[in-house]
């Protein structure tokens, strides 16, 4: 399975330029029912009050951790959002 890697520039573009939909992370596309996960930090939570940026995309450390899985339910179903 080919995993798409998102570059720092793409991440910043998505955070600051992409139109926002409340309840969907502008960077990775995760939602309340399809969160990101990291073994040290658990599932993601909303970083901003507009519900458009998840904690795992807002934190460079968590985002770049190879153990972070974005949109865990989509990955289990074979979908990718990045």
């Amino acid at each position: 399975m080919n995993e798409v890697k998102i570059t720092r520039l793409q991440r910043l573009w998505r955070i600051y330029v992409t139109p926002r939909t409340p309840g969907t992370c502008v960077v990775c596309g995760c939602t309340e029912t399809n969160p990101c996960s990291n073994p040290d930090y658990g599932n993601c939570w909303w970083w901003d009050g507009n519900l458009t940026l998840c904690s795992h995309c807002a934190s460079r450390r968590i985002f770049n951790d190879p153990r972070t899985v974005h949109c865990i339910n989509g990955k289990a179903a074979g979908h990718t959002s990045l």
Side-chain angles (χ1 to χ4, degrees):
M1 179 167 129
N2 285 339
E3 183 113 3
V4 178
K5 293 289 184 186
I6 188 169
T7 67
R8 183 173 185 272
L9 182 59
Q10 288 170 319
R11 180 172 166 256
L12 292 173
W13 179 269
R14 289 180 181 183
I15 290 172
Y16 295 109
V17 178
T18 301
R20 297 168 183 254
T21 302
T24 302
C25 178
V26 71
V27 176
C28 72
C30 73
T31 63
E32 294 271 336
T33 59
N34 192 17
C36 303
S37 185
N38 179 285
D40 293 335
Y41 299 96
N43 288 350
C44 64
W45 58 91
W46 296 116
W47 188 260
D48 65 344
N50 296 325
L51 310 180
T52 57
L53 182 62
C54 82
S55 57
H56 290 26
C57 288
S59 167
R60 188 180 313 173
R61 178 185 302 146
I62 300 172
F63 184 83
N64 290 327
D65 186 331
R67 300 173 303 154
T68 298
V69 178
H70 296 279
C71 305
I72 58 175
N73 294 330
K75 298 276 184 185
H79 301 110
T80 58
S81 62
L82 295 179

